[in-house]
Amino acid sequence: MSGAASGVGGSKPAGRPDLDRGLGRVGMIAFVGAIAAAVAYVAWSIYSDAAASGVQPTTYLPFVLLFVALLIALGFEFVNGFHDTANAVATVIYTNAMPAHAAVVWSGFFNFLGVLLSSGAVAFGIVSLLPVELILKVGSNAGFAMVFALLIAAIVWNLATWWFGLPSSSSHTLIGSIIGVGVANALLHGKSGTSGVDWGKATEIGQALLLSPLIGFGVAALLLLAMKVLVRNRALYAEPKDGVPPPWWIRGLLIFTCTGVSFAHGSNDGQKGMGLIMLILIGTVPTAYALNRAVPDRYMAEFHANTLAAAGVLGAPAASGTTPAQAREAITRYIADRKFTPATLPALGVLIRDVDTQVSEYGSLAKVPAAAVGNIRNDMYLASEAIRWLGKDKKAALPEASTKALTAYKGSLDAGTRFIPTWVKVAVAVALGLGTMVGWKRIVVTVGEKIGKSHLTYAQGASAELVAMGTIAGADMLGLPVSTTHVLSSGVAGTMAANRSGLQMGTIRNLLMAWVLTLPASILLSGGLYLLFHALVG
């Protein structure tokens, strides 16, 4: 959509804020300095973690793969920064609440904070969509093909929609890429394409992504109408004068909502890259990152107690006659196919007892030797995922006491395997925050000028931002990824409809087309790339 990008340079149209002022020399020096400092910090952190865990590199190939994979993963977050977060600053820029160059730095900083203070729940929710056999073998050629395919596909689609000034969803794109890899992997192994995806989790996330723009449109429209009834200040509903900032209190509200959306975006979207980076680290440097070596001293006693309680509700292992290897195979098959059989619970009982035996043998997770780390981590992951599925499986029909014991045991498993080192958060935070400060103009122009037929008013900007901030923050607490782009763009459209300002249907059609095409396009892209990479390295 060339019109969305027109006017980004050259003479400034009447009523448009100044979008051409850059960061300046000092800003650029700080920008480059932040990148250099982040790279040095990441390299030092990886070296320190590897040295502390006793990694003895015999070849540099894993570290080359790690560097390339991290570069692509952080590149995704960088593109995500200027692609998605432009929505957060569009309202404060077009209402003159903040100058454009200050708004993007402000937004970038609070994206940075949002990532640093995020919970990690969304990160592992995204990872659970991936095929279990690839997660267990993430260090294999197929595992790297998976990571590279889904990240490159997501970057390509995000850049394509950004080029045309279309605010499409990075969340949709990444999830479509994951589904594409899952379908392609299933077809490679002679299975139905639908068997390669956790459709339950995909449906849950898809519903959140589809409902969020409807919420954004409807609630923002209602909020604007409520403001008109409760706050009878004509200045709020008038088109901002060229270069004149709003009244101090509405300016404060606009900056507050921009801050909230930026923070919420960082805490939600930043986690998607974290989960994939952890998979990369587990695949390349498993000794340092497959198990959480920083668990507290009380962890081992709690883990053993929770194991005994969970094993007790699953029955005696001797009665099953199942070996640990057979149990591992049965649980892997259950997670992949989601078909509960009478052998499922006894197999899980054997597996969790075997995990406890392995962990207890070494005394702590920090003392697990390199040769055993991968197997223990995979067994802990399998047990955790099996328990997650059993909780949803009606055929399992677990009594409440059993569910409680298994849930407590799952918490112990996750504490040992689902963790995010501080440096990973810092790296993603820097990539997302710096990405916010470049390439934002195309999307900002679309949101600020191309959705409605009239200029965005103070009240419209505040309504759209408030709703976006609340929706994203709520989804983050529930561990669900939502699209900042969809929520805020639809919120702006909702306020235009409520204000009877009129919508530019050409832009709305382009937005809807991009939103509808994002999932199938990213599925095809990532699936095709996975098949290509798999053929090259297989």
Side-chain angles (χ1 to χ4, degrees):
M1 195 178 87
S2 58
S6 64
V8 170
S11 59
K12 181 170 77 74
R16 174 190 283 184
D18 183 5
L19 302 179
D20 298 321
R21 183 176 174 182
L23 296 175
R25 180 176 295 180
V26 174
M28 285 306 300
I29 291 173
F31 187 91
V32 174
I35 293 176
V39 169
Y41 174 62
V42 168
W44 176 82
S45 297
I46 293 173
Y47 172 79
S48 299
D49 291 346
S53 59
V55 173
Q56 299 292 333
T58 56
T59 174
Y60 288 103
L61 180 59
F63 292 94
V64 172
L65 288 173
L66 174 60
F67 174 77
V68 174
L70 283 178
L71 191 65
I72 295 173
L74 294 174
F76 167 76
E77 288 298 344
F78 186 84
V79 172
N80 188 5
F82 66 73
H83 188 277
D84 277 23
T85 317
N87 295 275
V89 298
T91 53
V92 291
I93 291 173
Y94 272 85
T95 55
N96 300 321
M98 292 183 81
H101 68 284
V104 294
V105 173
W106 181 270
S107 177
F109 175 72
F110 281 96
N111 264 278
F112 178 87
L113 284 184
V115 176
L116 287 185
L117 300 176
S118 59
S119 64
V122 173
F124 296 108
I126 288 289
V127 169
S128 65
L129 286 172
L130 293 165
V132 63
E133 61 269 25
L134 291 182
I135 293 177
L136 297 179
K137 299 178 181 178
V138 71
S140 65
N141 289 341
F144 279 108
M146 168 189 73
V147 172
F148 287 148
L150 67 90
L151 284 173
I152 291 173
I155 291 172
V156 168
W157 182 255
N158 277 348
L159 286 176
T161 53
W162 164 81
W163 180 257
F164 292 102
L166 295 172
S168 68
S169 168
S170 293
S171 300
H172 262 119
T173 305
L174 183 60
I175 289 166
S177 297
I178 290 173
I179 292 173
V181 166
V183 170
N185 182 68
L187 293 175
L188 275 177
H189 291 84
K191 300 179 182 178
S192 163
T194 57
S195 67
V197 179
D198 179 349
W199 290 109
K201 189 69 177 178
T203 301
E204 178 185 340
I205 291 174
Q207 287 173 344
L209 289 169
L210 290 172
L211 287 175
S212 55
L214 298 178
I215 293 171
F217 186 95
V219 179
L222 291 173
L223 183 57
L224 179 67
L225 294 174
M227 286 179 67
K228 285 189 171 185
V229 173
L230 300 173
V231 185
R232 298 183 179 275
N233 184 333
R234 290 187 178 181
L236 294 181
Y237 313 106
E239 183 175 315
K241 296 179 181 178
D242 194 8
V244 178
W248 68 268
W249 64 275
I250 194 67
R251 187 179 193 180
L253 178 61
L254 285 162
I255 293 174
F256 169 73
T257 52
C258 167
T259 303
V261 169
S262 299
F263 184 89
H265 176 266
S267 66
N268 193 280
D269 275 43
Q271 294 188 57
K272 296 159 192 170
M274 287 182 209
L276 296 173
I277 287 175
M278 288 309 299
L279 278 183
I280 293 166
L281 292 170
I282 291 166
T284 51
V285 198
T287 306
Y289 298 108
L291 297 175
N292 185 2
R293 296 173 175 270
V295 290
D297 293 338
R298 67 178 185 277
Y299 175 80
M300 292 302 299
E302 292 176 355
F303 182 81
H304 182 65
N306 287 335
T307 298
L308 294 179
V313 304
L314 294 173
S320 68
T322 305
T323 66
Q326 292 170 331
R328 193 173 298 114
E329 183 180 348
I331 295 302
T332 302
R333 189 164 53 248
Y334 170 66
I335 295 170
D337 300 335
R338 268 83 74 183
K339 293 180 179 177
F340 181 83
T341 68
T344 301
L345 292 182
L348 180 59
V350 171
L351 182 64
I352 66 177
R353 284 182 172 89
D354 187 58
V355 169
D356 185 54
T357 300
Q358 293 181 71
V359 172
S360 300
E361 180 182 346
Y362 302 112
S364 74
L365 296 183
K367 294 179 181 178
V368 175
V373 163
N375 288 336
I376 292 178
R377 187 258 173 192
N378 283 350
D379 286 351
M380 292 174 77
Y381 178 83
L382 283 173
S384 176
E385 283 296 285
I387 292 169
R388 180 172 73 88
W389 277 107
L390 285 171
K392 302 177 181 180
D393 200 328
K394 294 181 180 178
K395 291 183 179 179
L398 294 173
E400 186 177 346
S402 298
T403 301
K404 186 176 180 180
L406 290 174
T407 301
Y409 176 64
K410 183 180 186 302
S412 293
L413 291 170
D414 292 347
T417 56
R418 300 191 175 195
F419 67 102
I420 300 173
T422 301
W423 72 262
V424 172
K425 288 190 174 186
V426 171
V428 171
V430 170
L432 192 65
L434 294 182
T436 303
M437 301 178 198
V438 299
W440 47 269
K441 293 180 187 178
R442 292 176 183 271
I443 306 297
V444 163
V445 169
T446 298
V447 175
E449 299 180 18
K450 303 293 180 178
I451 292 179
K453 290 184 177 179
S454 64
H455 196 292
L456 196 70
T457 67
Y458 305 134
Q460 287 174 318
S463 298
E465 289 270 20
L466 274 172
V467 171
M469 180 179 70
T471 304
I472 299 166
D476 188 37
M477 286 187 288
L478 295 173
L480 295 173
V482 295
S483 169
T484 302
T485 303
H486 287 190
V487 176
L488 201 134
S489 299
S490 58
V492 170
T495 63
M496 290 291 176
N499 204 41
R500 298 184 180 180
S501 305
L503 297 170
Q504 296 193 38
M505 297 312 297
T507 302
I508 300 300
R509 278 193 298 270
N510 287 340
L511 288 176
L512 290 174
M513 185 177 297
W515 294 359
V516 168
L517 290 178
T518 290
L519 272 177
S522 53
I523 288 171
L524 290 173
L525 267 174
S526 66
L529 286 172
Y530 177 72
L531 293 175
L532 173 64
F533 294 158
H534 192 276
L536 291 175
V537 300

